[in-house]
Amino acid sequence: MFRRTFWFTAGAAAGVWATTKVNRKLKQLTPESLAAQAANKAIETGHRLKDFALDVRSGMVQREAELGEALGLEAPVDAPAERELPGPRRRAGLDPQTHTPTYSYRTISYNRNEDH
């Protein structure tokens, strides 16, 4: 009698445990849950990339300071650069004022009926 009661209780407990596990897994696999998980992973990855970029930048500043000190440069590294970017360069061949085309276009008439 006690054996039957024990095995019945063990089976019922295993059934409840398995049902709970399956229901949790089904809730994790709903589209809303998957979208939330993907968004959380993307945010986490963005934070890691930002931290990496900040580490790289601080390493660059530190190394640039070391190189400037070794070379005897006086310019501080942390000061913003006063230089501007150079203006756009145009090639002489592309400049419309100086370029004269040396080629000519031939017009070819195309008749669809000739293909058949």
Side-chain angles (χ1 to χ4, degrees), residues 35-67:
Q37 289 175 8
N40 289 338
K41 293 282 185 182
I43 290 171
E44 181 181 336
T45 302
H47 288 304
R48 286 184 181 175
L49 284 174
K50 180 182 174 188
D51 292 342
F52 175 72
L54 291 174
D55 289 344
V56 168
R57 182 171 295 268
S58 67
M60 285 172 36
V61 169
Q62 179 183 0
R63 182 65 178 150
E64 191 171 335
E66 291 171 1
L67 290 173

Side-chain angles (χ1 to χ4, degrees), residues 4-38:
R4 288 183 184 173
T5 306
F6 170 77
W7 287 114
F8 176 77
T9 306
V16 168
W17 176 79
T19 303
T20 305
K21 285 288 236 182
V22 167
N23 285 336
R24 283 185 192 161
K25 188 54 82 174
L26 287 176
K27 285 182 183 177
Q28 287 179 352
L29 295 177
T30 60
E32 295 84 15
S33 178
L34 290 175
Q37 289 175 8

Side-chain angles (χ1 to χ4, degrees), residues 68-69 71-77:
E69 187 177 308
L71 295 174
L73 299 175
E74 297 293 325
V77 176

